[in-house]
């Protein structure tokens, strides 16, 4: 009998935390190329696997049916059918409302707006992510960021804007923040990380489709002794095994390669945890607001030369 997984876990994380999931993660880390392909597919498509025959799974993983059979036996099952049954049994203990919502959406008629369906998936992703995260976990990461000499933030492709948002949130409250890639790409990112040390933290954001550069640069920073905080979607992500701290954001989407909604929510939660972690940050927030007030639309009170100036909506001072 598969041991129960805590109900707070999201489907992907909960499945990976099961005994079967842990076995698949070991294969993903240490197995042959063909076995890694099978393990990765099963970890990401548990529901689909329960309905696939051995030939269909072999086609999906671009391997032979004999390889699938050997894979199942290596995991301790009599045959593929037994492994598929174990996947189904494990799923019974980890399915969450996000999966139920997917089924509901799939049953809707074609008259439903795809745009509204997308919003429904975003809502489900936020629910799954929120239930899986622990406040203490985020608070501990906030403490790590506060102590760091430099906080490096990395994201490529669709994750680059998430990295930029995180860097903006962290700048007022950390000693020094560097957005590693910024507008320069891999070469600039590598240059920024050339001097990373054990006193630094790298926060890497990577969702499907993962980039090879994100994984290689993260591994470089970890080998240099830096503390790694990974914000990614699944224990099957190449960034999960590299992180000393890992925050999972559910990102499944029926049309897009991945949805960023939950990842952005995790970034905002991390920023809030950092901002409220100590009284000194309250003063930092006030100074930051004061510094940018002159550039904001609306009425603001600005200290200039020890006096209060009221900036009207037309830009005049009084």
């Amino acid at each position: 009998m598969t041991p129960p997984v805590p109900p707070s876990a999201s489907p992907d994380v909960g499945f990976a935390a099961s005994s079967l999931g842990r076995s698949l993660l070991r294969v993903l880390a240490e197995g042959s190329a063909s076995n890694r392909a099978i393990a990765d597919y099963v970890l990401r498509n548990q529901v689909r696997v329960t309905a696939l025959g051995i030939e269909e799974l072999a086609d999906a993983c671009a391997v032979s049916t004999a390889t699938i059979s050997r894979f199942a036996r290596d995991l301790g099952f009599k045959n593929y059918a037994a492994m598929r049954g174990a996947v189904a049994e494990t799923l019974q203990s980890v399915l969450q409302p996000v999966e139920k919502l997917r089924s509901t959406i799939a049953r809707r008629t074609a008259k439903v707006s795809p745009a509204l369906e997308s919003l429904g998936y975003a809502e489900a992703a936020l629910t799954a992510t929120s239930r899986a995260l622990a406040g203490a976990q985020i608070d501990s990461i906030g403490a790590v960021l506060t102590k760091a000499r430099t906080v490096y933030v990395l994201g490529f492709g669709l994750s680059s804007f998430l990295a930029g948002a995180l860097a903006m949130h962290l700048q007022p409250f950390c000693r020094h923040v560097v957005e590693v890639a910024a507008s320069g790409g891999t070469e600039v990112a590598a240059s920024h990380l050339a001097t990373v040390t054990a006193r630094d933290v790298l926060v890497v954001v990577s969702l499907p489709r993962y980039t090879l550069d994100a994984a290689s640069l993260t591994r470089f920073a970890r080998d240099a002794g830096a503390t790694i905080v990974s914000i990614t979607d699944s224990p099957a992500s190449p960034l999960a095994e590299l992180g000393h701290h890992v925050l999972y954001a559910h990102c499944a989407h029926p049309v897009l390669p991945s949805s960023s909604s939950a990842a952005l929510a995790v970034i905002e939660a991390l920023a809030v945890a950092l901002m409220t972690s100590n009284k000194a940050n309250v003063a930092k927030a006030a100074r930051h607001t004061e510094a940018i007030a002159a550039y904001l639309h609306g009425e603001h009170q600005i200290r200039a030369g020890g006096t209060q100036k009221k900036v009207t909506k037309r830009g005049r001072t009084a």
Side-chain angles (χ1 to χ4, degrees), residues 254-281:
V255 178
L256 302 173
S258 60
S259 169
S260 302
S261 303
L264 182 58
V266 168
I267 285 170
E268 292 178 349
L270 181 57
V272 169
L274 181 61
M275 292 171 67
T276 59
S277 60
N278 60 68
K279 294 181 179 179
N281 283 346

Side-chain angles (χ1 to χ4, degrees), residues 41 45-57 80 84-85 87-88 91:
Y41 188 88
N45 303 277
Q46 314 100 24
V47 176
R48 188 176 301 169
V49 167
T50 62
L52 293 181
I54 189 170
E55 295 85 359
E56 294 169 310
L57 181 59
Y80 169 67
R84 185 177 61 185
V87 172
L91 278 174

Side-chain angles (χ1 to χ4, degrees), residues 149-150 152 193-202 221-222 224-227:
R149 180 194 66 169
T150 300
Y152 295 93
L193 288 173
T195 57
V196 69
T197 72
R199 292 185 292 168
D200 304 322
V201 173
L202 171 65
R222 179 171 175 130
T227 299

Side-chain angles (χ1 to χ4, degrees), residues 206-236:
S206 188
L207 303 174
R209 309 159 178 158
Y210 313 110
T211 62
L212 293 173
D213 291 335
S216 62
L217 288 173
T218 300
R219 188 173 290 106
F220 171 83
R222 179 171 175 130
D223 290 345
T227 299
I228 307 300
V229 177
S230 297
I231 300 177
T232 190
D233 66 307
S234 164

Side-chain angles (χ1 to χ4, degrees), residues 31-263:
S32 64
S34 58
N35 281 354
R36 289 200 305 271
I38 300 168
D40 181 76
Y41 188 88
V42 175
L43 282 164
R44 297 182 182 281
N45 303 277
Q46 314 100 24
V47 176
R48 188 176 301 169
V49 167
T50 62
L52 293 181
I54 189 170
E55 295 85 359
E56 294 169 310
L57 181 59
D59 288 342
C61 299
V63 298
S64 67
T65 55
T67 300
I68 297 291
S69 295
R70 285 195 299 272
F71 179 87
R73 291 196 297 272
D74 288 345
L75 288 180
F77 299 103
K78 180 179 179 181
N79 50 35
Y80 169 67
M83 185 187 81
R84 185 177 61 185
V87 172
E89 181 182 351
T90 302
L91 278 174
Q92 290 180 2
S93 63
V94 301
L95 282 175
Q96 290 291 306
V98 63
E99 296 296 339
K100 297 178 182 178
L101 181 60
R102 286 178 186 168
S103 299
T104 300
I105 292 174
R107 291 194 297 268
R108 289 176 180 171
T109 66
K111 295 180 180 179
V112 177
S113 165
L116 293 181
E117 286 188 356
S118 181
L119 291 174
Y121 274 89
E123 179 184 6
L126 286 170
T127 298
T129 300
S130 176
R131 294 190 178 193
L133 289 178
Q137 179 188 17
I138 297 180
D139 291 342
S140 66
I141 294 174
V144 169
L145 296 176
T146 299
K147 296 176 182 177
R149 180 194 66 169
T150 300
V151 176
Y152 295 93
V153 182
L154 172 63
F156 288 117
L158 291 175
S159 297
S160 61
F161 86 91
L162 293 170
L166 177 58
M168 289 288 290
H169 281 306
L170 296 182
Q171 280 171 354
F173 309 104
C174 297
R175 296 180 188 177
H176 184 48
V177 176
V178 175
E179 188 181 349
V180 177
S183 59
T186 305
E187 185 175 350
V188 170
S191 297
H192 279 309
L193 288 173
T195 57
V196 69
T197 72
R199 292 185 292 168
D200 304 322
V201 173
L202 171 65
V203 184
V204 56
V205 186
S206 188
L207 303 174
R209 309 159 178 158
Y210 313 110
T211 62
L212 293 173
D213 291 335
S216 62
L217 288 173
T218 300
R219 188 173 290 106
F220 171 83
R222 179 171 175 130
D223 290 345
T227 299
I228 307 300
V229 177
S230 297
I231 300 177
T232 190
D233 66 307
S234 164
S237 163
L239 276 301
E241 65 175 350
L242 294 174
H244 297 97
H245 305 272
V246 184
L247 296 174
Y248 292 113
H250 204 77
C251 73
H253 196 279
V255 178
L256 302 173
S258 60
S259 169
S260 302
S261 303

